[in-house]
Amino acid sequence: MEIPPLHRILLVEDDPDIQVIARLSLESVGGFAVKLCSSGREALQTAPTFSPDLILLDVMMPDMDGLTTLQSLRQIPTLATTPVIIMSARVQTHEVVHYRELGAVEVVAKPFDPMQLPTTIRQIWMQCHG
């Protein structure tokens, strides 16, 4: 089975510092097209028109947390199977299991290495389609 190309990533992150680092990493190092959303609600409005190949989703956000956002994204037919990777500092085993039960394909722990993030994302992408 041929693995589809990974181009478009929706980055959902409320922390301005992490936004800058992750976006720079994904665009400059990884060569991805990145659309940034600062909240879960913004992601729900943006994702259907951006049509991301993959969604990188923070957990702890004000207003609508990442897990509620994930559940809401799954209700949108065009996004129901889009791979979602959780980015969180909360990566204890029971938390990771919970993220996966909700439909996340993988978890990237914060803090992350910005030079390694694109490689990690590609490896997860290949696992999703392998």
Side-chain angles (χ1 to χ4, degrees), residues 78-98:
T78 56
L79 300 167
T81 59
T82 302
V84 174
I85 299 173
I86 295 290
M87 284 197 320
S88 179
R90 294 183 172 183
V91 291
Q92 293 190 15
T93 301
H94 71 279
E95 293 165 325
V96 171
V97 168
H98 183 59

Side-chain angles (χ1 to χ4, degrees), residues 15-82:
D15 184 304
D17 294 332
I18 296 174
Q19 289 176 351
V20 170
I21 293 167
R23 186 174 203 161
L24 186 63
S25 169
L26 295 168
E27 289 180 342
S28 298
V29 179
F32 301 115
V34 176
K35 180 74 174 177
L36 175 65
C37 293
S38 298
S39 71
R41 294 198 191 287
E42 185 181 357
L44 292 173
Q45 293 173 344
T46 302
T49 55
F50 181 64
S51 300
D53 298 318
L54 182 140
I55 299 170
L56 205 49
L57 180 61
D58 183 22
V59 171
M60 293 181 286
M61 297 185 290
D63 193 26
M64 176 183 279
D65 68 26
L67 301 182
T68 302
T69 303
L70 173 57
Q71 292 173 314
S72 297
L73 287 167
R74 292 297 183 227
Q75 301 303 311
I76 300 171
T78 56
L79 300 167
T81 59
T82 302

